[in-house]
């Protein structure tokens, strides 16, 4: 089923038209800087790029240009369904949902949990409904895959009323990526997913690990928000909850300023004082930049600790999976992480590790050691697949 996959942010829309069974991709695109003078839509079709100026417009202009572009390419009639990435489904959604007025209301109701993302997702869905009124639309949630976590994994040790009245619990994110790479890993290992205990490490600008037991998430490192857990590009990951009050008083910052700094000025960027990009940090560390070295070392140390933590959720680990821009490409981050995971029997095959870059997945562990794989994530294809499944199931 040819599916238009849309990822609507506050000022951007990522677009892909693809067929999930074959993996065929007809168009990819990005509408950026929506609502500003530079608003533009670019569509990439078989190596050719078209750019449309949106005249300062927002979602309606972006969708009108997308429709016109699909018409020109003769692809509009091909689109059978629309799949939306939605960040937060709270406890309301454990599977994708065909969008109805009730489902839209439930997504709106989760906005307090994802104030930057869910309102943008809703606005994108409404604009897409106007642009494509005849097509079924499905919401695929970042959090849904983790709704199988047991209570022991998702509850925080805070007053129970915070959970009951305000939904304060761990939700987890990157669900489509963890679910996709778990399936791919099982396929590559030639074993049924239902029999595997996997730790998946999604390492992009945002980073999280997940314990996947028989294809179901049983724990993950992100929590109430995508700030918990691992060190990320610009996000701190775990800090002492007492830090907020301490630094607010010491540095004279508001709660909003502390939260913004933990999201945008921390992580690899904060530690290195240089960059959030692992390529840049690896190059700088190679030239002897102490901050870059430290940032990578802390990233790896905390990642290895988190992987070991997921092993507790699983009892026993059959394989470790690396994915995301860093996981799929950084030979040194993978090698250093495996070197720290002797406790799990990990050990790298240096040649295989060096080969697994730029879209070449494969097993990178030494014989007899914890099976470790590099798998390419494909969130768009997973969203398209989930969209088809939801429509078939009448969900
Ligand atoms: P997003 O989470 O925004 O989708 P990606 O999955 O593309 O991001 O991951 C971005 C990260 O991947 C950046 O830290 C970038 O440095 C890293 N990365 C991409 N290519 C390489 C590479 N060849 N070597 C090391 N790191 C890489």
């Amino acid at each position: 089923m040819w599916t238009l996959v849309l990822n609507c942010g506050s000022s951007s829309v990522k677009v892909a038209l693809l067929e999930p069974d074959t993996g065929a991709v007809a168009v990819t695109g990005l509408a950026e800087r929506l609502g500003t003078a530079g608003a533009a839509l670019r569509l990439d079709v078989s190596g050719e790029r078209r750019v449309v100026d949106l005249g300062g417009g927002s979602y309606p202009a972006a969708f009108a240009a997308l429709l016109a572009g699909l018409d020109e390419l003769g692809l509009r009639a091909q689109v059978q369904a629309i799949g939306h990435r939605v960040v937060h489904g709270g406890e309301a959604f454990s599977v994708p949902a065909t969008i109805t007025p009730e489902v839209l209301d439930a997504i709106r109701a989760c906005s307090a949990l994802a104030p930057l993302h869910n309102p943008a997702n809703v606005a994108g869905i409404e604009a897409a409904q106007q642009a494509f009124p005849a097509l079924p639309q499905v919401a695929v949630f970042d959090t849904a895959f983790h709704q199988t976590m047991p209570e022991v994994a998702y509850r925080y040790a805070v007053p129970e009323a915070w959970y009951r009245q305000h939904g304060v619990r761990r939700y987890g994110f990157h669900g489509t990526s963890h679910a996709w790479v778990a399936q791919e890993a099982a396929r590559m290992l030639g074993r049924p997913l239902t029999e595997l205990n996997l730790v998946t490490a999604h390492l992009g600008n945002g980073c999280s690990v997940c314990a996947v037991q028989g294809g179901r998430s049983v724990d993950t490192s992100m929590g109430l928000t995508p700030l918990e857990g691992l060190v990320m590009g610009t996000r701190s990951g775990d800090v002492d909850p007492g830090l907020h009050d301490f630094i607010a008083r010491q540095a004279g910052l508001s709660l909003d300023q502390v939260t913004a700094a933990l999201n945008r000025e921390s992580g690899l960027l904060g530690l290195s004082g240089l960059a959030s990009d692992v390529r840049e940090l690896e190059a700088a560390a190679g030239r002897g930049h102490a901050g870059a070295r430290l940032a990578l070392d802390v990233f790896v140390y905390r990642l290895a600790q988190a992987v070991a933590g997921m092993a507790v959720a699983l009892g026993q680990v059959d394989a470790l999976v690396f994915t995301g821009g860093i996981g799929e490409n950084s030979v040194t981050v993978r090698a250093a992480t495996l070197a720290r995971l002797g406790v799990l029997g990990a050990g790298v095959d240096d040649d295989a590790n060096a080969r697994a870059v730029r879209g070449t997945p494969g097993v990178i562990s030494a014989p007899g050691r914890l099976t470790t794989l590099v798998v390419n994530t494909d969130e768009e294809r997973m969203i398209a697949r989930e969209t088809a499944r939801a429509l078939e199931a009448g969900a």
Side-chain angles (χ1 to χ4, degrees):
M1 177 185 283
W2 282 92
T3 306
L4 191 62
V5 175
L6 299 176
N7 183 351
C8 299
S10 55
S11 63
S12 70
V13 182
K14 250 175 101 178
V15 181
L17 175 59
L18 57 99
E19 209 295 311
D21 292 338
T22 60
V25 179
V27 183
T28 59
L30 181 67
E32 280 186 292
R33 298 186 294 281
L34 296 178
T36 74
L41 168 73
R42 67 172 162 75
L43 290 178
D44 292 312
V45 187
S46 25
E48 267 183 50
R49 174 161 297 183
R50 302 153 173 245
V51 180
V52 186
D53 186 330
L54 298 175
S58 189
Y59 284 122
F63 282 108
L66 175 61
L67 267 175
L70 292 174
D71 268 338
E72 262 175 56
L73 295 162
L75 291 170
R76 184 166 168 183
Q78 205 166 318
V79 187
Q80 293 167 287
I82 297 185
H84 291 267
R85 176 187 182 211
V86 178
V87 167
H88 219 303
E91 290 187 330
F93 296 102
S94 55
V95 289
T98 301
I99 293 169
T100 61
E102 293 73 34
V103 165
L104 256 186
D105 281 345
I107 296 172
R108 279 193 200 96
C110 296
S111 287
L113 291 166
L116 297 179
H117 295 104
N118 273 35
N121 297 153
V122 169
I125 290 169
E126 288 175 333
Q129 284 178 324
Q130 282 179 4
F132 302 89
L135 291 180
Q137 312 216 10
V138 172
V140 180
F141 301 90
D142 264 23
T143 49
F145 181 58
H146 303 297
Q147 280 294 302
T148 48
M149 283 196 288
E151 195 167 15
V152 70
Y154 73 69
R155 288 293 294 274
Y156 290 115
V158 297
E160 196 207 8
W162 293 5
Y163 170 58
R164 300 275 171 229
Q165 291 168 21
H166 303 291
V168 172
R169 52 158 284 179
R170 308 184 63 251
Y171 292 94
F173 298 86
H174 291 145
T176 32
S177 178
H178 289 297
W180 173 265
V181 299
Q183 286 176 12
E184 282 295 288
R187 193 181 58 74
M188 286 161 66
L189 294 171
R191 293 184 55 189
L193 182 57
T194 48
E195 289 172 13
L196 284 173
N197 280 338
L198 302 171
V199 179
T200 51
H202 175 102
L203 310 174
N205 283 309
C207 300
S208 67
V209 291
C210 182
V212 186
Q213 188 159 56
R216 293 155 61 91
S217 169
V218 291
D219 202 355
T220 189
S221 58
M222 283 177 168
L224 175 70
T225 74
L227 189 54
E228 186 176 336
L230 304 177
V231 172
M232 312 182 209
T234 63
R235 284 176 244 167
S236 61
D238 290 342
V239 292
D240 183 335
L243 175 148
H244 297 69
D245 182 61
F246 175 82
I247 198 64
R249 287 169 196 273
Q250 294 294 315
L253 299 174
S254 69
L255 196 52
D256 281 353
Q257 287 172 317
V258 175
T259 304
L262 291 174
N263 275 292
R264 294 196 219 111
E265 296 159 25
S266 300
L268 293 169
L269 174 65
L271 272 166
S272 67
L274 182 70
S276 62
D277 190 300
V278 165
R279 276 167 297 200
E280 235 178 279
L281 293 175
E282 286 177 339
R287 294 192 303 269
H289 190 290
R293 181 74 273 144
L294 176 70
L296 291 167
D297 287 349
V298 175
F299 179 88
V300 162
Y301 179 63
R302 299 260 298 262
L303 170 60
Q305 281 190 323
V307 171
M310 293 297 114
V312 173
L314 295 170
Q316 162 256 335
V317 183
D318 294 314
L320 168 62
V321 182
F322 285 100
T323 194
I326 302 168
E328 291 169 33
N329 290 293
S330 177
V331 174
T332 55
V333 164
R334 292 189 307 240
T337 307
L338 293 179
R340 288 244 181 226
L341 282 170
V343 67
L344 293 182
V348 72
D349 175 330
D350 287 320
D351 292 337
N353 189 31
R355 280 195 300 273
V357 286
R358 286 184 291 280
T360 313
V363 174
I364 60 164
S365 42
R369 298 307 187 101
L370 171 68
T371 303
T372 306
L373 303 91
V374 175
V375 174
N376 296 329
T377 194
D378 195 340
E379 290 173 86
E380 280 82 19
R381 192 168 170 191
M382 187 67 181
I383 290 171
R385 185 183 282 182
E386 297 273 276
T387 298
R389 206 176 285 169
L391 293 174
E392 279 157 20

